[in-house]
Amino acid sequence: MNFFEFWLDHAPVMSILIPGFTAFILVLLGNPGSGSLSHDWRQPWRRGVSCFSMVLGLITAICYLIQANTGVITVYQLSEWSAPFGIVLVLDRLSAFMLVLTYALAVPLIWFASKEWDERGRYFHAMCHFLLMGLCGAFLTGDLFNLFVFFEILLMASYVLLLHGQGKARFQLGIHYVTINLLASALFLIGLGMIYGSVGSLNMADVSRLLPTLAGDQYQIAVAGGLLLFVVFAIKAAILPVGFWLPKTYAVATTPVAALFTIMTKVGIYAIIRVNSMVFNDELSREILSSWLLPIGLVTSVYGVIGAIGAERLRRFVGFMVLSSVGTIVIALSLMNTDAWTAALYYLVHSTIIAATFYLLCGWITSQRGSFKDHLKVAPMMKQQTLVSICFFIIALMMAGLPPFSGFFGKIFILQATAESPYQLLIIITVLIVSLLSIMAFTRLGLVIFWRATKPVDNPNDEAFEEYQKLPEVSPARNDRTIYIFLTGLVAYVIFANPIMNYIHQTAVQLNDSAFYTKSILKTDEHGQVISVQPYDPNYLPETKYGGESADPNAHLIPYIISDKTLQGEHISEYKQRQIEQRQLELEQSPDDSKLKPMEP
């Protein structure tokens, strides 16, 4: 078997293994104190391994995107056990799309951070790859519990990255961030318990299939568990009223970390889309969700832009604008139609990249304002005033949603998708008002930082003159070039909007076809019956030499839930093989007896 065949056989798990193994290698390399990193002989190795792994991950994600573009859903069975008995990873259009977005954001940022920022704290590169491992796992998993597991992996990495560079403010807000996410994790587990106790499964496709068959009380408990998961995902996505933590928290993170964290809110958005399109897609759940999403999205969008107008620091301004963009995405999701979800996904990419670019610009501006940092106060002109102001102007146009940039097209697509909504006028007015307020917020920002900036002191005897002379003549290393990369990418995002929108539209169509998703994941027997069990029977062990020589009425189902290689391997005893054959002969005489049966204790 050549490498290409091996890669195909193990897609999509490679997207999780690449950052996972890279993180462990970087940990094994060791890491001295932050003050010694610049002189440590291993630092170039850390950077080289990290950047190589990032590029490899991006190439893999692009290959997955090409593979998913065929419309086929690729299912990877861990340990060769089929769902719902085993854990599966699922590669479809949406997961491939999110993987490419993640790496398209991470590769330039890690390259930028590898110049100076990674020397300000220990295990920076290792934590970034653990974060990517959690992100990729969350996008690929087909199991609700493993979604929780990968959430915890990315959150633990984010706790360390938030404190990267140290400082009192980072520590204080880091405690708040950890506390909020621990609460969310507890709610996540409670919601999973309610679903599992009612449905008997946590595989997304299996829960979707079994949910409509539940009795009244069990159904209500399962739906309540699903709504509890929505609260958790809303916390991750920073949707009001559980999103107040974001502006201050992201404001204290170092520049590359804050930029990388812009993808974190999109994990929550992704989870809402995935779980509520594939799992809780029954009429009651969709009705409840749509009735909640619209007012929440409207309020979040308006609150974010108002908070930005009143912000006193540049980084908090960006955080509030991130909140506003999340609200705009939620408005589109609330419409519950293919065109609206297509627009939401298109705007999601724009909002992620432009927010990361703005955080990078904050780092550039802060480095040239000396003691004024990112406070919105009148300060002496920056040494690169013209260049920085041009970058700010372009970012402002993009983020406010003005033509001819991607933010404008994203909002236009959302407004077009409201054609059949009874709330069309309300949505249009809100989106236009938010865009107008965004322009006002950016105008205020430009006036304070650029237009009203004073001339530098030219008296050599003045202390302010000496302080100004110490400020850097150029941007921090690679800061400006990383901004140019992202801005170029967003321009290309508009130029190639037609093929991109075609892909995204097919993604939205696939999301609304839960039957195809379920059929791709769950196995059926020769009679077309899904091999599953509800509620789950812990006494049922559908394999192995470890099961002993006890009668197994479900032996005939074993060939359907494990691979042919495993079936012929050493873990299936001769006794079990004979029992499989015997049960198959019995069923030829009485085919109605083929359904899964509970085992005797």
Side-chain angles (χ1 to χ4, degrees):
M1 178 183 292
N2 58 38
F3 177 77
F4 183 70
E5 291 175 346
F6 175 84
W7 182 87
L8 288 178
D9 286 344
H10 293 279
V13 73
M14 299 302 292
S15 276
I16 300 174
L17 295 182
I18 290 172
F21 279 120
T22 303
F24 282 114
I25 291 171
L26 291 169
V27 169
L28 291 175
L29 274 175
N31 212 301
S34 58
S36 306
L37 282 171
S38 58
H39 309 293
D40 184 27
W41 64 272
R42 293 166 293 185
Q43 188 68 357
W45 285 94
R46 294 187 193 96
R47 292 169 173 172
V49 169
S50 180
C51 291
F52 174 79
S53 176
M54 286 287 180
V55 173
L56 182 61
L58 176 60
I59 294 171
T60 303
I62 293 173
C63 291
Y64 286 170
L65 186 77
I66 296 171
Q67 182 176 339
N69 195 34
T70 62
V72 176
I73 295 179
T74 303
V75 180
Y76 184 82
Q77 301 171 0
L78 297 174
S79 299
E80 298 185 338
W81 282 97
S82 65
F85 301 100
I87 299 168
V88 294
L89 302 176
V90 183
L91 177 67
D92 63 356
R93 290 179 179 273
L94 179 60
S95 55
F97 179 76
M98 295 303 296
L99 288 177
V100 171
L101 172 60
T102 300
Y103 275 101
L105 180 72
V107 170
L109 290 176
I110 296 303
W111 174 75
F112 159 61
S114 295
K115 190 63 178 178
E116 294 177 357
W117 288 98
D118 59 348
E119 298 176 357
R120 303 190 182 190
R122 304 180 68 193
Y123 295 105
F124 173 81
H125 289 284
M127 290 303 108
C128 285
H129 285 277
F130 277 126
L131 180 70
L132 283 176
M133 178 185 176
L135 288 168
C136 294
F139 294 142
L140 289 168
T141 185
D143 184 271
L144 288 172
F145 183 77
N146 280 275
L147 181 63
F148 166 79
V149 171
F150 284 117
F151 264 47
E152 292 306 299
I153 292 173
L154 68 90
L155 284 172
M156 285 188 287
S158 71
Y159 299 155
V160 180
L161 288 173
L162 183 61
L163 298 177
H164 176 73
Q166 304 176 3
K168 181 179 178 181
R170 291 191 182 114
F171 181 78
Q172 289 177 334
L173 287 168
I175 293 295
H176 297 165
Y177 179 71
V178 171
T179 302
I180 290 170
N181 281 287
L182 287 177
L183 174 62
S185 297
L187 294 176
F188 204 154
L189 283 177
I190 294 171
L192 292 178
M194 295 170 69
I195 296 169
Y196 185 74
S198 302
V199 181
S201 177
L202 288 176
N203 178 272
M204 294 185 189
D206 206 33
V207 174
S208 174
R209 184 184 67 85
L210 294 170
L211 189 65
T213 68
L214 298 180
D217 291 343
Q218 286 182 311
Y219 176 77
Q220 296 292 342
I221 292 174
V223 171
L227 293 176
L228 195 57
L229 294 189
F230 170 72
V231 175
V232 175
F233 302 150
I235 293 174
K236 310 296 185 185
I239 301 171
L240 293 184
V242 288
F244 294 103
W245 57 270
L246 187 144
K248 285 187 177 181
T249 302
Y250 283 19
V252 299
T254 59
T255 299
V257 171
L260 187 59
F261 275 13
T262 56
I263 191 66
M264 298 278 282
T265 55
K266 307 312 181 292
V267 180
I269 295 294
Y270 167 86
I272 292 173
I273 296 173
R274 174 68 73 190
V275 173
N276 293 284
S277 66
M278 295 299 181
V279 184
F280 294 93
N281 59 353
D282 58 294
E283 185 175 347
L284 176 62
S285 299
R286 291 176 74 90
E287 182 180 349
I288 294 174
L289 190 66
S290 62
S291 64
W292 284 13
L293 280 178
L294 182 57
I296 288 174
L298 294 172
V299 172
T300 303
S301 184
V302 174
Y303 170 81
V305 73
I306 292 176
I309 292 175
E312 297 180 353
R313 302 192 64 169
L314 187 57
R315 287 174 178 267
R316 291 187 184 179
F317 176 94
V318 184
F320 280 114
M321 292 303 295
V322 170
L323 274 184
S324 184
S325 67
V326 168
T328 303
I329 297 171
V330 172
I331 291 172
L333 295 181
S334 70
L335 298 175
M336 294 292 179
N337 64 64
T338 301
D339 290 339
W341 284 22
T342 302
L345 291 174
Y346 184 88
Y347 189 78
L348 182 147
V349 175
H350 155 81
S351 63
T352 303
I353 300 299
I354 194 61
T357 309
F358 206 166
Y359 275 119
L360 292 175
L361 183 67
C362 290
W364 190 356
I365 292 174
T366 301
S367 69
Q368 298 213 344
R369 296 186 87 220
S371 59
F372 288 91
K373 297 182 179 180
D374 68 334
H375 293 277
L376 297 184
K377 296 180 180 179
V378 177
M381 295 175 61
M382 291 173 278
K383 293 183 178 180
Q384 291 181 290
Q385 182 87 352
T386 302
L387 185 57
V388 175
S389 62
I390 292 173
C391 290
F392 170 81
F393 181 69
I394 296 173
I395 291 172
L397 292 178
M398 289 183 173
M399 207 167 199
L402 295 178
F405 298 109
S406 52
F408 171 77
F409 285 100
K411 290 185 177 181
I412 288 296
F413 295 148
I414 293 173
L415 295 182
Q416 288 176 340
T418 64
E420 299 180 2
S421 173
Y423 305 103
Q424 181 184 29
L425 184 60
L426 176 62
I427 294 172
I428 292 176
I429 291 174
T430 302
V431 171
L432 293 179
I433 289 176
V434 168
S435 297
L436 177 61
L437 293 177
S438 298
I439 295 171
M440 293 173 58
F442 278 106
T443 302
R444 168 181 173 263
L445 209 62
L447 285 173
V448 173
I449 296 178
F450 300 105
W451 188 260
R452 295 173 59 190
T454 60
K455 291 185 178 180
V457 176
D458 55 3
N459 183 2
N461 297 322
D462 196 318
E463 293 183 4
F465 176 83
E466 185 177 351
E467 292 179 3
Y468 185 80
Q469 295 304 313
K470 292 179 180 178
L471 295 177
E473 299 282 347
V474 295
S475 73
R478 298 179 180 172
N479 196 322
D480 52 347
R481 284 177 284 175
T482 309
I483 291 175
Y484 304 151
I485 290 171
F486 284 139
L487 292 179
T488 303
L490 286 172
V491 171
Y493 193 54
V494 175
I495 295 173
F496 297 101
N498 187 50
I500 292 171
M501 283 296 292
N502 288 336
Y503 178 91
I504 296 176
H505 178 74
Q506 293 301 319
T507 301
V509 171
Q510 192 178 70
L511 281 170
N512 284 291
D513 191 359
S514 59
F516 178 66
Y517 182 86
T518 301
K519 183 179 179 181
S520 301
I521 294 175
L522 298 180
K523 292 291 186 70
T524 56
D525 61 17
E526 59 184 353
H527 303 291
Q529 298 293 322
V530 173
I531 303 174
S532 178
V533 58
Q534 191 276 327
Y536 178 68
D537 182 1
N539 295 311
Y540 176 51
L541 190 64
E543 21 105 39
T544 79
K545 65 182 181 183
Y546 307 113
E549 295 190 357
S550 57
D552 185 355
N554 302 304
H556 61 286
L557 297 176
I558 292 176
Y560 297 100
I561 60 176
I562 61 178
S563 70
D564 292 336
K565 292 181 181 179
T566 303
L567 183 64
Q568 303 301 325
E570 63 176 11
H571 293 288
I572 303 297
S573 65
E574 293 182 5
Y575 172 81
K576 186 67 72 175
Q577 292 281 9
R578 292 195 302 271
Q579 200 172 33
I580 292 171
E581 295 171 2
Q582 180 182 349
R583 283 292 294 156
Q584 288 174 339
L585 289 173
E586 292 174 357
L587 290 171
E588 289 179 1
Q589 300 176 355
S590 55
D592 294 336
D593 195 34
S594 63
K595 293 183 179 181
L596 190 65
K597 297 177 178 59
M599 295 286 288
E600 294 295 331

